[in-house]
Amino acid sequence: MVSSPHEAMHRIFQEYPGLFSRVSEVLGVDIPPPTSATTLPTDLTEARPVERRVDTLLRIGTEHDGPFVLAIEAQGKKDPRKTASWPYYVSYLHNRYGLPVLLLVVCQDRATAEWAAHPIRIGLRQWQTLALNPLVAGPHNMPVITDVAEARKDLALATLAAITHADNPDVGAILKTLSVALRDTPEAIADPVIELTAQGLGNRPAAQHWRNLVAVDTSFYKSFMSEEIRDEGRAQGRAQGRAQGRAEDILLVLEQRGIAVPDRVRERITDCGDPETLRQWLMRAVTAASAEEIFAGE
């Protein structure tokens, strides 16, 4: 299964071209709502052997203000080379299509987002020949959506918000909101949401949490990726269930023997997800003189 936050952060705009209208509203920029959107070739290579590619490129039509070109870059970390490539992209696209060009940079961490938002100016101190002001969407300005009705109202924005908040301490609540919002949603609509979210979370701990939620909340879904996600989620859920049950057994044994369990010991027991370790602690709990003694030798 492909797992690339970079791909998800820009590919979501290919799946939902109208999403940019809502994102620009969140960013405080007055962009007319699109009347059409066409995916354009992302290859910006010239005849010379210098390959340059933008992540996603869209031609956005509007009712009154005419069309414009939207270049979308997913940025996972600071990259000084972008101060040269981004102005090139914008100038090349303006020359190629003869249309206004906007650059949107999507990030998952605040430091990268703040770096990407800095204007890029080319020229002398006394006179700037070119100034580029990227629009930036990231955890610093994307909404934290934990209301199911709000998520259902705009699943595309809720998906992008979940991806950009992948490192948020409250990502569990964000993902739960999204998974509940997908209940009873037609497969064709849920398909890209589930896949893009899984892709956008990458290898973060939240990715496994999302798999567990998909396994429980979207059991209607039948695609290959969802089945794979659910299978992993079920396996993980069974392992977590066994660990939780064994932890409860340990605490019950200690309680029945009249042994006090300090909060730090209780927390260590309930936080442990390794069934074999818990089995050893359970065996020790039968004879331990104190709660701390079950950790003897560790």
Side-chain angles (χ1 to χ4, degrees), residues 14-280:
Q14 298 177 22
E15 191 71 39
Y16 306 104
L19 173 61
F20 178 66
S21 177
R22 279 95 78 190
V23 172
S24 64
E25 184 178 333
V26 170
L27 301 181
V29 181
D30 185 16
I31 304 292
T35 56
S36 64
T38 305
T39 301
L40 300 174
T42 60
D43 190 348
L44 309 184
T45 306
E46 296 178 322
R48 293 174 298 171
V50 178
E51 183 177 338
R52 301 178 189 271
R53 290 183 183 273
V54 67
D55 288 331
T56 283
L57 191 62
L58 300 173
R59 184 185 189 274
I60 304 292
T62 65
E63 185 173 359
H64 301 295
D65 293 357
F68 65 92
V69 174
L70 175 63
I72 302 162
E73 285 279 276
Q75 197 65 33
K77 61 182 179 180
K78 299 177 184 179
D79 185 352
R81 294 173 298 179
K82 296 298 184 180
T83 59
S85 59
W86 285 346
Y88 170 84
Y89 293 168
V90 171
S91 298
Y92 175 87
L93 292 169
H94 179 67
N95 181 68
R96 178 174 179 177
Y97 294 103
L99 295 173
V101 181
L102 288 178
L103 172 65
L104 173 66
V105 183
V106 185
C107 308
Q108 287 181 296
D109 70 273
R110 182 179 292 268
T112 302
E114 291 175 349
W115 163 81
H118 288 158
I120 300 173
R121 296 183 170 91
I122 298 175
L124 301 177
R125 177 176 57 83
Q126 298 89 336
W127 188 265
Q128 294 171 3
T129 306
L130 176 67
L132 173 62
N133 297 288
L135 284 171
V136 179
H140 65 301
N141 57 12
M142 291 300 291
V144 175
I145 299 177
T146 54
D147 179 79
V148 174
E150 183 181 358
R152 280 202 179 111
K153 184 179 178 181
D154 195 335
L155 285 171
L157 182 62
T159 303
L160 181 63
I163 291 171
T164 55
H165 287 290
D167 293 319
N168 190 308
D170 295 325
V171 68
I174 296 170
L175 295 176
K176 179 62 177 176
T177 299
L178 184 57
S179 68
V180 172
L182 291 176
R183 290 177 182 171
D184 302 322
T185 301
E187 180 177 326
I189 296 175
D191 181 342
V193 171
I194 291 178
E195 295 189 13
L196 284 165
T197 303
Q199 194 175 33
L201 295 174
N203 295 321
R204 293 171 171 83
Q208 184 58 56
H209 185 61
W210 177 243
R211 291 183 174 89
N212 296 343
L213 291 171
V214 168
V216 174
D217 290 334
T218 60
S219 57
F220 67 90
Y221 190 58
K222 303 300 181 185
S223 82
F224 173 78
M225 175 174 279
S226 184
E227 287 297 326
E228 183 177 345
I229 291 173
R230 269 206 305 278
D231 288 345
E232 293 178 5
R234 291 189 187 104
Q236 181 69 15
R238 288 192 293 269
Q240 290 177 346
R242 288 195 298 272
Q244 181 180 354
R246 196 157 285 174
E248 292 173 354
D249 290 343
I250 295 170
L251 295 173
L252 180 61
V253 168
L254 293 173
E255 178 184 343
Q256 291 298 314
R257 295 185 59 226
I259 296 177
V261 181
D263 289 342
R264 65 181 183 278
V265 173
R266 183 181 300 274
E267 183 176 351
R268 182 173 176 182
I269 293 171
T270 55
D271 286 350
C272 180
D274 180 13
E276 180 57 30
T277 299
L278 289 165
R279 186 183 71 83
Q280 294 177 6

